[in-house]
């Protein structure tokens, strides 16, 4: 008789910024850089530290066909992902723009380690494209060398 030992290996994909294959065209349209209304909306507004819910929002100008950009918003004060959208949407619409939440998840932000992890999903909006979120966050947090995402967790 002999014994067989099985070792489980975690094959959960974790992608760093250097491995992301998200094009600039997926983040924003070419015209968004020239559109003053879209430029006036900050790309990122998240809590300075901690673990919190976030949403990925597509903002577009109804007067300019196909001009859009994605923005990231995340706050620990939000009990639900919809709370974030309900807080943000009116200020975007006041600028004459339209917006839609295209998904959500969670962010763990550790500024002392220069680390951001993006993961999970929103029960109400579904899972955001975390690779787009990571690319947007990498522009704001250029000094961070550890921005990762995975599709695990809630």
């Amino acid at each position: 008789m002999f014994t067989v030992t099985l070792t489980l290996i975690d094959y959960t994909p974790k992608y760093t910024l250097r491995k992301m294959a998200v094009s600039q065209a997926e983040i924003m349209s070419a015209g968004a850089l020239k559109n003053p209304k879209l430029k006036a909306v900050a790309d990122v507004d998240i809590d300075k530290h901690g673990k919190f819910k976030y949403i990925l929002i597509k903002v577009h100008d109804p007067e300019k066909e196909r001009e859009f950009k994605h923005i990231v918003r995340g706050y620990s004060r939000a009990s639900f992902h919809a709370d974030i959208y309900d807080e943000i949407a009116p200020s975007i619409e006041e600028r004459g723009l339209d917006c839609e939440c295209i998904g959500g998840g969670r962010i763990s932000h550790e500024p002392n380690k220069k680390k951001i992890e993006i993961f999970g999903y929103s029960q109400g909006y579904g899972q955001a494209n975390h690779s787009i979120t990571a690319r947007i966050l990498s522009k704001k947090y250029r000094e961070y060398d550890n921005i990762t995402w995975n599709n695990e967790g809630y």
Side-chain angles (χ1 to χ4, degrees):
M1 175 188 294
F2 57 94
T3 304
V4 175
T5 304
L6 296 175
T7 303
L8 297 176
I9 300 172
D10 182 9
Y11 287 105
T12 304
K14 290 202 179 214
Y15 299 92
T16 64
L17 180 61
R18 290 173 273 288
K19 296 179 184 173
M20 284 184 255
V22 177
S23 71
Q24 183 66 24
E26 292 175 273
I27 307 286
M28 69 175 62
S29 64
L33 295 171
K34 299 173 187 169
N35 185 316
K37 290 194 289 186
L38 288 172
K39 284 174 57 175
V41 178
D43 294 341
V44 176
D45 185 22
I46 63 171
D47 282 350
K48 294 185 187 319
H49 59 82
K51 189 182 287 187
F52 45 86
K53 290 177 170 64
Y54 93 90
I55 59 174
L56 183 62
I57 302 171
K58 185 175 186 178
V59 181
H60 55 94
D61 187 342
E63 296 174 4
K64 308 270 183 159
E65 188 176 337
R66 299 185 183 180
E67 285 192 12
F68 74 92
K69 76 177 192 174
H70 289 95
I71 63 171
V72 177
R73 299 292 184 265
Y75 313 112
S76 59
R77 65 181 175 265
S79 297
F80 300 98
H81 291 92
D83 294 339
I84 300 169
Y85 186 76
D86 291 344
E87 177 182 333
I88 299 305
S91 64
I92 292 171
E93 292 166 355
E94 286 171 1
R95 298 173 187 263
L97 298 167
D98 290 335
C99 62
E100 62 181 306
C101 179
I102 59 171
R106 293 180 185 268
I107 291 175
S108 175
H109 187 186
E110 298 178 67
N112 56 332
K113 295 181 180 178
K114 296 189 184 307
K115 177 180 178 182
I116 295 176
E117 182 181 9
I118 305 149
F119 60 96
Y121 63 94
S122 162
Q123 288 183 336
Y125 296 118
Q127 188 172 64
N129 184 333
H130 297 323
S131 62
I132 290 176
T133 302
R135 179 90 183 261
I136 294 168
L137 291 176
S138 73
K139 290 180 180 183
K140 174 161 179 131
Y141 298 98
R142 293 181 192 275
E143 71 280 8
Y144 284 36
D145 56 1
N146 194 0
I147 297 176
T148 61
W149 63 270
N150 68 67
N151 289 326
E152 301 302 314
Y154 163 68

